[in-house]
Amino acid sequence: MAKPLFKQIALIGIGLIGSSLGHVIRERGLAGRVSGFAQTPETREKALALRVVDEVHETAADAVRGADLVILCTPVGAFAAVAAEIGPLLAPGTIVTDVGSVKESVVTQVAPHMPVGVHLIPGHPVAGTEQSGPEAGFAELFQNRWCILTPMDGTDPEQIEKLAAFWRACGSDVEFMKPDHHDLVLAITSHIPHLIAYNIVGTADDLGKVTASEVIKYSAGGFRDFTRIAASDPTMWRDVFIHNKDAVLEMLGRFTEDLTDLQRAIRRGDSDRLFEIFTNTRSIRKRIIDAGQETEAPDFGRHSGGS
Ligand code: NAP
C-alpha cells in the first residue's frame, strides 16, 4: 500500500459520493485517518458500520479538526452554511475541495469563508448513480471516470497537483476547467438530460392517470430508461438547477430550438431531415463507447454513470 497522501481527510456529508470516497480512501490507504460528518444519526451509524470513516461527528466543525484535506460532499445548496461553520477551524495549509455538480456557485458560496493560507480548489467527479445514501457507495465509482478540477486564479500549483494526485489515486482521470465553462458543459451533458427525464416521466405520470397500466406495461419501449435518471435524488437535483440557473437556461434555449426543428420535420414529413439527425446522434453514442465512457451492452440497467 502506498504512503498516505494526507494525514486526515474529512468527509462532510456521507451519502453516495462521500461513502464511495471513504471506501476508496481506506481501500487504497490514501489517508492516515478519515473523519466524517453527517446530519442524521442514521447516516452516522451506517457510515461507521460500513467502515467508510474512522470517526463520525455530529457537527462539520468537529469533523474538520486536524484534517489536511476537507471534501464537501453535501448537496450544493448546503455549501455556504457548511463553509461558514468550518472556516474558523481550518488550519493554514489545509486543502478544501468539494464534489458538487456545479462549480461557479462553490466559489461564491465557499471562498468568502476560507481563512488566509487555506487552499480552496473546487472539484467534480463526473461519476454517479441514481442511488443515494451511504449504503449506495462503492470504491470503484471513480474508476476510469473524469474528475474536473476548477482552481481559481492564483492557487498554489503544488496544492492543485496534490489534489489531482489524490483523484488519480481514486482511479479517475483529471481535467482542469474554468468554473463557468464546467457549468456550461455539464448543463448539456448532465443537467438538461436529467431535466428531460424528470419532465417526460412527469408527463407520462399525468397520462398514467388515464392509462396507468399501459405506461408501466410498455415501459421497456424507452420510458423505463428515463425513469432510472428521474429516480435521482430530489434534493441534489433541486440544488443543481437553482445553482446553475444561467447555464441551464442557455442550454434549454438551444434544446428548445432543436426540438422545434424536429417537430417541423415530422409535421412536413421531411424524412431526409429526420434520418440525418438520427444518423448523427447514433455516431455520437459510438464515440462515447469508443472513449470508454459506456459499454455496448444493450441493457440500460447500468451500475454507474456520470452526473
Ligand atoms: P446523498 O447520497 O444524498 O448524500 C448527501 C449527504 O449530505 C448525506 O450525508 C446527507 O446527510 C448530507 N446532507 C444533506 N443535506 C444536508 C444539509 N443541508 N447540511 C448538511 N448535510 C447535508 O448525495 P450524493 O449523491 O452523495 O451527492 C453529494 C454531492 O455530490 C452533491 O453536491 C452532488 O451534486 C454531487 N455529485 C453527485 C453525483 C451523483 O450522481 N449522485 C455525482 C457527482 C457529484 P444525511 O444522510 O444525514 O441526511
Side-chain angles (χ1 to χ4, degrees):
M1 205 172 276
K3 182 176 170 285
L5 293 168
F6 292 93
K7 191 164 50 74
Q8 182 188 326
I9 297 180
L11 300 173
I12 307 303
I14 319 174
L16 166 72
I17 303 292
S19 75
S20 295
L21 278 170
H23 280 298
V24 71
I25 290 166
R26 289 180 56 111
E27 199 177 286
R28 302 190 182 180
L30 307 180
R33 287 189 74 67
V34 181
S35 54
F37 155 75
Q39 58 180 358
T40 60
E42 293 77 23
T43 301
R44 292 197 290 271
E45 278 161 29
K46 279 184 198 155
L48 281 177
L50 290 162
R51 302 172 54 81
V52 292
V53 290
D54 295 294
E55 59 195 68
V56 70
H57 299 271
E58 290 181 24
T59 67
D62 286 336
V64 302
R65 269 179 230 279
D68 48 353
L69 174 64
V70 175
I71 311 180
L72 308 184
C73 307
T74 66
V76 173
F79 283 179
V82 168
E85 183 187 337
I86 65 173
L89 295 146
L90 298 168
T94 306
I95 296 177
V96 175
T97 188
D98 72 295
V99 295
S101 308
V102 181
K103 295 276 59 85
E104 263 205 305
S105 163
V106 177
V107 179
T108 46
Q109 289 194 75
V110 180
H113 302 288
M114 294 297 104
V116 177
V118 167
H119 312 284
L120 172 64
I121 308 171
H124 176 204
V126 187
T129 76
E130 68 279 18
Q131 312 286 335
S132 48
E135 283 159 320
F138 54 102
E140 300 75 26
L141 180 65
F142 309 107
Q143 194 66 40
N144 299 328
R145 297 286 176 221
W146 287 103
C147 180
I148 302 171
L149 299 182
T150 62
M152 292 169 291
D153 291 343
T155 308
D156 181 351
E158 209 177 302
Q159 304 303 323
I160 298 172
E161 183 43 41
K162 198 171 173 192
L163 184 62
F166 166 76
W167 279 108
R168 288 189 199 105
C170 292
S172 295
D173 294 318
V174 176
E175 186 74 89
F176 298 94
M177 276 184 201
K178 292 279 178 208
D180 58 338
H181 185 66
H182 166 280
D183 290 354
L184 211 54
V185 171
L186 269 290
I188 194 64
T189 57
S190 171
H191 306 168
I192 298 286
H194 277 79
L195 199 70
I196 293 167
Y198 282 125
N199 190 49
I200 198 166
V201 174
T203 305
D205 185 44
D206 282 347
L207 290 176
K209 304 218 161 52
V210 187
T211 59
S213 61
E214 273 117 325
V215 169
I216 305 295
K217 187 171 168 185
Y218 301 117
S219 62
F223 179 71
R224 184 188 64 182
D225 303 327
F226 284 108
T227 63
R228 184 185 66 78
I229 298 179
S232 300
D233 188 68
T235 307
M236 170 190 155
W237 284 98
R238 174 201 65 193
D239 287 2
V240 166
F241 291 112
I242 296 295
H243 289 268
N244 199 20
K245 176 176 148 185
D246 293 343
V248 166
L249 291 178
E250 159 73 20
M251 288 301 169
L252 208 49
R254 296 186 193 203
F255 172 82
T256 310
E257 283 174 25
D258 291 341
L259 191 61
T260 306
D261 183 26
L262 278 169
Q263 197 176 4
R264 191 184 307 115
I266 294 168
R267 185 159 31 77
R268 291 181 178 171
D270 189 345
S271 32
D272 289 348
R273 180 75 187 128
L274 290 177
F275 191 77
E276 183 193 351
I277 294 170
F278 299 163
T279 304
N280 183 40
T281 54
R282 187 177 232 192
S283 76
I284 290 169
R285 176 158 174 88
K286 185 169 180 315
R287 273 157 47 201
I288 290 171
I289 293 167
D290 290 348
Q293 296 298 306
E294 174 62 300
T295 66
E296 297 216 62
D299 181 28
F300 276 54
R302 61 182 73 99
H303 299 298
S304 68
S307 289

